[in-house]
Amino acid sequence: MMAGIERESVRSGLVTVPRELSINVYLTTHIEFMAGTCGGFRPKGQGVMSISRELFSDPTRAARMFAHEIGRLVNWLGAEGLDKVPNIARGNLPGSKSCGGVISEPDDARRIQGKISRRHLEILQPQGVPLPWRGVLGTCPVAACPAAPTHTTIMPESSAFPHRPQAAGAAMSRRIFLRNTGLAIAAGAVFPNLVPARAMGRDGGVAPSNRLTMGLVGTGQGWSDMQGFLAHKDVQATAICDVDSNEARRIARAVDARYRTNGTRAYQDFREMFAKEKLDTVIIAPPDHWHAIIAIAAARAGVDIYGEKPLAHTLVEGRAIANAVKQHGRVWQTGSWQRSGSAFYRAVSLVRAGVIGRVSHVKVGTLATQNGFSRSLGTKPDPELIGKPPAHLDYDLWLGPAAHMEYDPRFVKYNWRWILNFGGGNLMDWVGHHVDIAQWGLDFDETGPAKITGKAEFSTKLPWDAPTKYEYECTYANGQVIQVNSGFADGTRFIGEDGRHIYVTRGRLTASKGVLETKIGSDAKTTYQSLDHNRNFLDCVKSRRTTITPVETAHRAASVGHLGQIACLTGRAIHWDPVTETIANDPAATALLSPVYRRPWVL
């Protein structure tokens, strides 16, 4: 972030094209502080990929980037697509106090150019938002701009800058757009795709030969994960895989936009990707029922893995993943990023140092119907779409090893997690977060409970059958207890035998009086600290050290959820041996530890 510029003032708009691509480009000129630019673009959909605000050090370079991205937009869309793009315009953007509030008209910027200390121009406005005026690329009219006259900016289409804008919503043809941007070139010609210096290892960048190549399987949560990695200069995303070919191509284009290249490959089948790509790392984030097969394939391919939680759909699959990772010498990081959060680290450090005495029990709260579950329960099927997957979706591959269910667009994307055939509801979705913190605090990363009891209410509104309410209790061999309840406050509460407690959740850390102020002695048990979850993974890939959330840790945390779910499904106490990972004297419960795969898939 640039010095003196508020976060709220550096927001961006979108140019949106029909379901195919959205580019987000914004330009900020900071007149007094000469290092004032930042650029970014993003695909509309899951998450946001933003270019680091430190990539450019002067307005001229950012202006050139903006002009470059407009050219790439022309390239991508072609004659038909460009005519569908909404008008390019500058809308109202809150200015800083020194700007006098809002720069709402082109002559406002000109009138106050000699007085302001920072000027914010929003370049592209979201589709559907009233556009106050139309604009095209031109020479920056602000004399005080340190980049003038080379600073390309948005100008009103009329030639005289102070003229009033034309009516909002007026059409801009592709011919006018190309003419006014200076991009009118022969039909079929290609706008030059310049390679930035940093892509070659200059300007503080990392040379391609020194970057870790990264692939992605599953573009939902996975795309959000990958954006975090793209902020690191020593990562090069090279391959995107999704059973929805449209999604794979869309994310591949977004990655290309990030690097300003055209080299990211899109795949529909993970097996083809692993066979053709030379990957150092991969993000695995498909629905839960696919975790095991893909993770094991990655380990066998010699790829280090960042895998989303929960580790696996069933406990036996989790053990198979852990064994494969160890057998093939792979580095594994789980998406249990809370371990890299300062509040969680502080809470666990205090607990492990004995500041609240011996912990008698831990209360873990996970909200049963949050994250869209409640909304899903109220949705109705569309008979016109049931059983008719679109051509770009390989639905049979989406199902993979799971039992066959007729295609229903309501669950193919995010909401599969509320169906036990594919996920485990929030009972399983959150074990990799709050239960994981409980295990960490009690130093149970390589073991599990001995006895599990529980009960739950499961949805009867098919196809949704995950638990809507649940509570289960895990008793460990040393007598300590973890209680998980959908009615508890969201987070993890450690309670000592003398009643003192520490409670931690996202954005909050509280404790009994004096606990948080306690200084941990040098003789206390040390706690692994990571300041950046993604960076921790990358560093461990290079050093071959163990990450903060290795595969065994992920398996043990997920096992708590699997066993709790089995106790709820059977209504019986589960007696578990965490060493042999077997259930005593209960064949029906034992059967629930393993998946039943649809042919031809095998573990």
Side-chain angles (χ1 to χ4, degrees):
M1 182 63 65
M2 294 173 291
I5 294 184
E6 300 84 1
R7 182 177 297 275
E8 293 79 4
S9 298
V10 194
R11 291 181 298 183
S12 59
L14 290 175
V15 157
T16 304
V17 299
R19 294 186 180 276
E20 293 294 327
L21 179 68
S22 295
I23 307 261
N24 162 26
V25 181
Y26 58 82
L27 172 64
T28 301
T29 301
H30 185 232
I31 294 178
E32 290 185 352
F33 186 72
M34 298 289 288
T37 84
C38 121
F41 34 79
R42 73 185 183 193
K44 186 176 182 181
Q46 300 290 333
V48 176
M49 179 181 71
S50 296
I51 291 184
S52 169
R53 292 178 169 84
E54 286 73 39
L55 285 181
F56 300 97
S57 60
D58 65 79
T60 305
R61 294 179 63 197
R64 288 173 181 167
M65 174 194 166
F66 171 69
H68 177 68
E69 295 312 320
I70 291 295
R72 293 182 68 253
L73 178 62
V74 173
N75 243 4
W76 272 330
L77 299 180
E80 296 181 1
L82 191 61
D83 285 337
K84 297 179 182 180
V85 177
N87 294 338
I88 295 180
R90 175 179 65 79
N92 297 348
L93 186 68
S96 64
K97 293 181 179 179
S98 58
C99 289
V102 174
I103 300 174
S104 58
E105 297 292 345
D107 55 337
D108 287 342
R110 193 178 198 186
R111 173 173 50 81
I112 64 175
Q113 60 177 289
K115 301 178 181 179
I116 62 176
S117 62
R118 38 190 178 264
R119 179 172 64 88
H120 312 301
L121 295 180
E122 184 175 49
I123 300 302
L124 304 177
Q125 187 79 357
Q127 184 178 26
V129 175
L131 303 177
W133 64 293
R134 297 168 59 203
V136 297
L137 290 175
T139 301
C140 181
V142 180
C145 176
T150 59
H151 176 184
T152 304
T153 187
I154 287 295
M155 292 280 287
E157 190 174 1
S158 53
S159 59
F161 184 75
H163 285 186
R164 301 297 298 174
Q166 298 184 25
M172 178 188 289
S173 70
R174 182 173 186 267
R175 180 176 299 175
I176 293 174
F177 183 93
L178 293 175
R179 180 198 70 200
N180 290 329
T181 58
L183 297 173
I185 49 182
V190 177
F191 190 88
N193 198 359
L194 305 178
V195 179
R198 69 180 182 280
M200 303 304 295
R202 299 189 293 273
D203 283 357
V206 178
S209 59
N210 293 326
R211 297 176 192 164
L212 294 171
T213 57
M214 178 172 284
L216 169 63
V217 181
T219 60
Q221 177 63 38
W223 175 227
S224 178
D225 291 339
M226 176 165 273
Q227 290 174 80
F229 283 107
L230 292 178
H232 295 272
K233 296 179 181 179
D234 54 345
V235 172
Q236 179 80 37
T238 58
I240 306 296
C241 179
D242 196 283
V243 292
D244 185 330
S245 60
N246 281 358
E247 282 297 292
R249 288 192 293 267
R250 180 178 72 86
I251 300 304
R253 287 196 299 267
V255 173
D256 282 344
R258 166 65 176 81
Y259 295 125
R260 301 203 293 283
T261 64
N262 294 304
T264 309
R265 273 82 63 189
Y267 296 91
Q268 196 169 25
D269 191 320
F270 70 94
R271 295 167 294 185
E272 181 184 10
M273 185 184 78
F274 287 137
K276 292 183 176 180
E277 296 290 331
K278 295 181 179 179
L279 298 173
D280 297 311
T281 63
V282 66
I283 298 170
I284 297 178
D288 295 355
H289 69 284
W290 261 117
H291 284 195
I293 289 177
I294 297 174
I296 293 171
R300 289 172 176 168
V303 182
D304 293 325
I305 303 163
Y306 183 98
E308 265 304 331
K309 50 79 201 161
L311 179 66
H313 192 214
T314 64
L315 195 147
V316 166
E317 288 174 304
R319 173 47 62 199
I321 293 173
N323 290 346
V325 168
K326 295 171 185 176
Q327 177 186 349
H328 296 282
R330 296 300 92 207
V331 171
W332 177 285
Q333 178 84 299
T334 316
S336 301
W337 59 264
Q338 289 183 170
R339 290 203 180 201
S340 294
S342 59
F344 295 97
Y345 169 77
R346 177 63 174 166
V348 168
S349 296
L350 291 168
V351 169
R352 290 163 68 101
V355 174
I356 62 171
R358 185 179 187 276
V359 174
S360 62
H361 61 291
V362 186
K363 291 186 175 181
V364 178
T366 58
L367 305 178
T369 55
Q370 68 178 38
N371 296 341
F373 192 7
S374 296
R375 292 190 298 274
S376 298
L377 292 174
T379 60
K380 295 181 179 180
D382 184 341
E384 297 296 321
L385 299 178
I386 298 296
K388 301 174 183 177
H392 55 82
L393 172 68
D394 187 336
Y395 182 63
D396 186 70
L397 189 57
W398 186 92
L399 282 172
H404 179 78
M405 291 180 64
E406 194 170 30
Y407 169 77
D408 186 335
R410 292 179 298 166
F411 63 67
V412 168
K413 297 296 182 179
Y414 180 85
N415 293 319
W416 52 263
R417 68 193 68 238
W418 318 131
I419 300 174
L420 295 180
N421 193 28
F422 312 122
N426 275 323
L427 186 154
M428 285 304 304
D429 209 34
W430 281 87
V431 294
H433 285 312
H434 297 325
V435 171
D436 175 65
I437 297 300
Q439 290 264 114
W440 191 22
L442 297 180
D443 199 15
F444 288 158
D445 281 350
E446 296 187 2
T447 188
K451 179 182 178 181
I452 307 93
T453 58
K455 60 181 180 180
E457 295 178 13
F458 292 86
S459 170
T460 57
K461 296 181 178 179
L462 299 180
W464 326 114
D465 58 358
T468 56
K469 294 181 180 179
Y470 54 85
E471 57 181 280
Y472 60 93
E473 182 174 287
C474 303
T475 304
Y476 291 74
N478 66 355
Q480 290 178 304
V481 173
I482 293 179
Q483 299 170 329
V484 184
N485 194 312
S486 58
F488 289 164
D490 189 34
T492 308
R493 186 182 302 275
F494 297 92
I495 303 172
E497 291 179 337
D498 62 1
R500 288 182 295 170
H501 75 276
I502 296 175
Y503 169 73
V504 63
T505 190
R506 296 178 184 181
R508 187 181 179 192
L509 173 61
T510 62
S512 299
K513 185 177 180 180
V515 168
L516 297 181
E517 292 74 30
T518 303
K519 292 184 178 181
I520 299 176
S522 58
D523 58 339
K525 187 172 184 177
T526 58
T527 300
Y528 191 142
Q529 184 174 20
S530 162
L531 301 177
D532 182 317
H533 207 61
N534 294 337
R535 185 71 257 164
N536 176 253
F537 173 60
L538 299 175
D539 289 344
C540 290
V541 167
K542 295 177 181 181
S543 68
R544 313 313 292 173
R545 293 179 60 244
T546 301
T547 67
I548 195 167
T549 53
V551 69
E552 185 67 26
T553 293
H555 172 60
R556 294 298 183 168
S559 295
V560 174
H562 292 310
L563 295 168
Q565 186 180 73
I566 291 173
C568 291
L569 286 168
T570 62
R572 296 189 293 273
I574 303 299
H575 297 277
W576 176 249
D577 185 333
V579 176
T580 62
E581 295 193 336
T582 55
I583 294 175
N585 304 318
D586 195 330
T590 297
L592 296 175
L593 295 173
S594 303
V596 178
Y597 279 0
R598 188 170 65 106
R599 293 182 178 179
W601 299 100
V602 294
L603 184 61

